[in-house]
Amino acid sequence: MTLLQVMPKDDGTDVLLRTEDITEIAAELAPHGIRLERWATVPLAGDAGQEEVLAAYASEVERLSAEGPYPLVDVVRLVPNDADPQWPAKAEAARTKFLSEHTHDEDEIRFFVEGAGCFYLHLGDKVYAVVCTAGDLMSVPAGTTHWFDMGTRPHFCAIRFFQEEDGWVAEFTGSEIASRMPTLDELLAPAPTS
């Protein structure tokens, strides 16, 4: 379920807009130069590696790489592994790495092959929380203040597009804004019943 929730930057409990309509979400983001589109998903094995994932989406990857240009493409996968006693620590380290507001020197482009993650876009006086799921392509322009939450039990596989090897390194703003917004887990939690 792709989801957009818009909140004032000072109050993550005040929901200005919440929608799962992909057309409406794309229309809300477009004026800010943010691209959201849907690609058809391809069934893959749960342990498909980088080569298999890139081969399955070869025509889409080639098209988008040429548009950029984005000559560097890779696949990142993080899935729960309860058999690994180190997995909770690895998951927490991966999650906290980009959980604070930051920018990048180049566009941040991700296609979600499976699972989910949330981009929080700090645009003017609002925060746009965009939950991306399998089939979503999200492109955030260079310099956009944002953060990313993969949840307390990360499960996602994404194709990443880059212009340069170090262009995606995060430059943190030092803002505490992320602490005032609902987490991915909270955004996806069922609404309380009365």
Side-chain angles (χ1 to χ4, degrees):
M1 147 189 93
T2 307
L3 170 71
L4 169 66
Q5 182 165 304
V6 182
M7 301 150 288
K9 69 177 184 177
D10 296 323
D11 184 1
T13 64
D14 184 7
V15 179
L16 305 173
L17 173 67
R18 185 176 170 100
T19 181
E20 296 175 21
D21 181 324
I22 192 81
T23 304
E24 184 178 6
I25 296 170
E28 285 288 327
L29 299 175
H32 303 283
I34 296 158
R35 174 180 179 179
L36 178 68
E37 63 183 53
R38 298 280 301 166
W39 289 0
T41 56
V42 176
L44 292 167
D47 62 349
Q50 178 165 295
E51 288 182 19
E52 293 90 353
V53 171
L54 292 178
Y57 292 95
S59 62
E60 292 89 347
V61 167
E62 184 177 315
R63 175 185 56 84
L64 189 59
S65 293
E67 277 180 29
Y70 304 108
L72 305 174
V73 179
D74 73 4
V75 174
V76 61
R77 179 187 296 275
L78 190 58
V79 295
N81 182 358
D82 295 327
D84 178 1
Q86 300 300 316
W87 187 82
K90 291 176 190 174
E92 182 61 22
R95 181 180 187 219
T96 50
K97 187 173 183 179
F98 296 109
L99 203 50
S100 295
E101 185 180 70
H102 60 276
T103 62
H104 299 286
D105 288 339
E106 66 177 53
D107 300 344
E108 183 166 357
I109 303 172
R110 305 290 181 263
F111 170 69
F112 286 80
V113 174
E114 67 184 41
C118 185
F119 284 94
Y120 294 80
L121 309 161
H122 181 185
L123 305 170
D125 61 353
K126 296 178 184 150
V127 171
Y128 294 68
V130 185
V131 177
C132 295
T133 58
D136 290 338
L137 173 80
M138 180 85 158
S139 176
V140 179
T144 302
T145 51
H146 69 286
W147 63 97
F148 181 78
D149 187 4
M150 58 185 76
T152 54
R153 193 165 167 81
H155 181 169
F156 71 93
C157 176
I159 300 173
R160 305 184 299 179
F161 296 81
F162 304 102
Q163 292 169 319
E164 298 179 22
E165 286 192 34
D166 62 352
W168 60 274
V169 173
E171 296 177 31
F172 293 93
T173 67
S175 171
E176 297 294 322
I177 190 169
S179 66
R180 297 191 296 270
M181 298 297 140
T183 65
L184 171 61
D185 296 330
E186 292 167 334
L187 287 169
L188 296 180
T193 56
S194 43

